[in-house]
């Protein structure tokens, strides 16, 4: 594709217009257009403003970036996002994913395996900051396949309808300022980036996103580990999988893994006062990531965990998983121990998969 020509819009609500103007000034080189909710009195909805923001793509643009007014760009944001778009000019790109969603575990897997891209797993596409090819931006503004208030859900359904994959940058290029929600998302608590640093640094955007046979995630609603499998069609939501079946495919037995998780939790006295189900689920999610990493990469687990992006992404895992189950002060005090608990799970899962692979290489007879 010829040189990327990126147009930009910032969507906002009248009560948050000063934040949008500050963001516009920070990104002055992109000459962003501010798009204000035209009818805030008609009820809380992101979709009304989002349609106008995506419709504002000008004829000269090859790609269109839409940011919400609480987006916090990293240093050298403009040059970095242009490089990222140039590497993936035909896909939908999110520059942010929050630390506890299913997609956050896709980001963690990408970070552990050295990829700059992670596939979106959830039934929505993060829209704090997103880029679409210009024709898709205009088409999304006209999309009628969703009549709800959430632009992120609408974008997922639109991309599924046109067969376009949604990817997240690793690291994230945007953080969330956590302004007061105007569409009723207070119940979700603090939304933080899964993998963000003020300085993105040098990123190899030519890498491919990992293609795992299955992906673990922690359900913050229940405290349990779940597994997802890739969709049959590009752009679609990932499907649910049965843990017993997934673990069997990796060569391990669910009962043995659950027993090991309980034993590990009991040996972690610094956090043993926390909910046993949640702590076990957190360890199991780390274990699952270890299984997948060992299946996708020949590197050692130390090499995987030592990557800068992996350090960032794994550090946010306990907070993203437990922020609704543990008060913020207790969570902060336990951050170090919880991170070590997760790392233990990753190491044990990685070693288990390596043991299975070694046995599979032993000739019969």
């Amino acid at each position: 594709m010829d040189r990327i020509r990126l147009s930009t819009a910032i969507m906002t609500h009248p009560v948050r217009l000063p934040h949008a103007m500050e963001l516009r000034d920070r990104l002055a080189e992109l000459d962003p257009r501010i798009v204000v909710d035209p009818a805030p009195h008609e009820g809380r909805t992101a979709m009304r403003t989002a349609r106008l923001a995506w419709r504002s793509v000008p004829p000269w643009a090859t790609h269109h970036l839409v940011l919400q007014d609480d987006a916090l760009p990293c240093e050298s944001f403009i040059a970095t996002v242009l490089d990222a778009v140039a590497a993936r000019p035909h896909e939908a790109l999110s520059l942010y994913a929050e630390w506890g969603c299913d997609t956050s575990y896709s980001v963690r897997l990408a970070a552990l395996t050295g990829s700059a891209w992670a596939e979106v797993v959830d039934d929505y596409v993060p829209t704090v900051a997103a880029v679409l090819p210009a024709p898709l931006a205009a088409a999304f503004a006209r999309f009628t396949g969703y009549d709800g208030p959430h632009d992120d859900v609408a974008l997922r359904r639109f991309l599924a309808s046109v067969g376009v994959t949604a990817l997240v940058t690793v690291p994230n290029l945007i953080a969330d300022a956590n302004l007061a929600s105007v569409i009723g998302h207070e119940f979700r608590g603090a939304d933080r980036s899964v993998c963000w640093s003020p300085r993105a640094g040098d990123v190899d955007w030519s890498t491919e996103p990992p293609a795992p046979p299955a992906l673990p995630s922690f359900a913050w609603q229940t405290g349990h580990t779940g597994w997802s499998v890739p969709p049959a069609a590009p752009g679609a939501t990932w499907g649910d999988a049965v843990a017993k079946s997934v673990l069997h495919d990796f060569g391990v037995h669910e009962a043995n893994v659950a027993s090991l998780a309980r034993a590990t939790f009991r040996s972690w006295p610094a956090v043993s006062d926390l909910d046993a189900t949640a702590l076990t689920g957190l360890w199991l999610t780390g274990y699952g990531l270890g299984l997948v990493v060992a299946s996708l990469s020949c590197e050692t687990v130390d090499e995987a965990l030592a990557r800068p992006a992996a350090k960032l992404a794994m550090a946010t895992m306990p907070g993203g998983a437990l922020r609704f189950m543990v008060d913020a002060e207790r969570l902060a005090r336990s951050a170090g121990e919880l991170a070590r608990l997760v790392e233990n799970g990753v190491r044990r899962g990685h070693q288990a998969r390596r043991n299975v692979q070694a046995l599979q290489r032993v000739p019969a007879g």
Side-chain angles (χ1 to χ4, degrees), residues 154-334:
L155 182 55
R156 167 59 97 183
R157 297 190 185 182
F158 167 72
L159 293 175
S161 73
V162 295
V164 172
T165 299
L167 300 175
V168 180
T169 58
V170 183
N172 292 171
L173 305 184
I174 289 288
D176 191 322
N178 275 300
L179 303 178
S181 175
V182 295
I183 58 171
H185 280 173
E186 294 89 348
F187 72 94
R188 299 194 317 197
D191 281 347
R192 298 180 185 171
S193 162
V194 57
C195 181
W196 185 78
S197 169
R199 300 170 183 83
D202 294 328
V203 181
D204 182 4
W205 298 112
S206 68
T207 53
E208 292 295 320
L215 181 76
S217 61
F218 182 94
W220 51 264
Q221 304 94 328
T222 65
H224 292 95
T225 298
W227 285 88
S228 301
V229 291
T237 304
W238 287 42
D240 295 330
V242 178
K244 182 177 181 179
S245 176
V246 172
L247 293 173
H248 178 270
D249 289 343
F250 281 116
V252 296
H253 298 283
E254 182 183 36
N256 293 344
V257 176
S259 177
L260 180 59
R262 290 191 294 270
T264 303
F265 166 67
R266 287 194 297 270
S267 69
W268 231 269
V271 293
S272 59
D273 62 313
L274 301 182
D275 182 81
T277 298
L279 268 291
T280 301
L282 187 64
W283 184 90
L284 284 169
T285 307
Y287 184 94
L289 284 171
L291 287 174
V292 180
V293 170
S295 297
L296 296 179
S297 171
C298 295
E299 293 182 321
T300 68
V301 68
D302 287 331
E303 290 171 323
L305 290 166
R307 288 193 167 91
K311 289 181 178 180
L312 291 171
M314 297 308 295
T316 65
M317 185 168 154
L322 302 178
R323 68 191 187 276
F324 301 102
M325 303 176 185
V326 181
D327 69 84
E329 183 179 344
R330 179 71 176 90
L331 194 55
R333 289 200 312 270
S334 304

